[in-house]
Amino acid sequence: MATTKDKNKRASWDEYFMAIAREVATRSTCDRKNVGAVLVRDKMILTTGYNGSIRGLAHCDEVGHEIVNDHCIRTVHAETNAIVQAARNGVSIEGATLYINASPCWDCFKLLANAGIKKIVFGEFYREQRIHDVSLELGIALIDFSKKV
């Protein structure tokens, strides 16, 4: 990300969209992990999502967490919400890139793969090592952005 020291330097596209994903994460309503996702194709934002409860139900920050196996299951994950927003609005995400501040869990990775996402840029690695091997097998680029900043 551009700093005060190099404020005349424009942010790269990856820096730009990752900054937007981090900002989207500020809308998260599960304080165990604030996650934001941005789906992009041809340098245009298609949709965004953040982790929060099922539409119409109380959020974790209102009523607390619902923990099963050390995970809050009250929330819908950011990347899933981004896919759902695209579906609700009739937006094709085939061939898109996902920018997300934490790497996808296994279930979200499977949804992203089946939705035709071709590249995932994540800000920190979060617990699912198997996505690395499977992304190679499927030809999905998996970029650890934390190693680029």
Side-chain angles (χ1 to χ4, degrees):
M1 207 181 287
T3 63
T4 309
K5 187 177 181 181
D6 58 1
K7 64 182 174 182
N8 292 329
K9 179 183 176 264
R10 289 178 63 182
S12 71
W13 286 110
D14 283 347
E15 291 167 332
Y16 174 70
F17 290 124
M18 187 58 74
I20 293 170
R22 289 186 191 107
E23 188 64 26
V24 170
T26 67
R27 293 283 307 150
S28 173
T29 60
C30 184
D31 60 4
R32 286 179 49 99
K33 189 79 176 162
N34 299 118
V35 181
V38 181
L39 282 168
V40 174
R41 188 177 50 240
D42 299 328
K43 300 177 186 167
M44 291 183 291
I45 295 172
L46 303 173
T47 186
T48 65
Y50 54 87
N51 57 330
S53 294
I54 296 171
R55 185 183 297 262
L57 296 182
H59 296 287
C60 298
D61 60 4
E62 298 168 340
V63 296
H65 302 284
E66 190 175 339
I67 304 296
V68 173
N69 295 328
D70 199 36
H71 296 92
C72 182
I73 62 166
R74 180 179 295 283
T75 61
V76 178
H77 290 186
E79 50 273 67
T80 300
N81 272 326
I83 292 169
V84 168
Q85 291 304 316
R88 286 179 62 101
N89 292 296
V91 175
S92 171
I93 57 174
E94 179 80 27
T97 295
L98 174 76
Y99 290 87
I100 188 161
N101 61 308
S103 61
C105 71
W106 177 241
D107 286 335
C108 288
F109 177 82
K110 292 185 292 185
L111 291 173
L112 294 163
N114 275 2
I117 304 307
K118 294 299 180 197
K119 181 177 173 184
I120 300 170
V121 181
F122 63 90
E124 74 171 276
F125 179 72
Y126 183 64
R127 88 171 172 228
E128 284 293 345
Q129 189 60 42
R130 64 184 148 179
I131 67 173
H132 291 282
D133 295 334
V134 176
S135 66
L136 285 173
E137 187 176 341
L138 295 173
I140 298 171
L142 196 58
I143 310 298
D144 184 346
F145 195 71
S146 70
K147 295 180 179 178
K148 294 186 180 241
V149 277

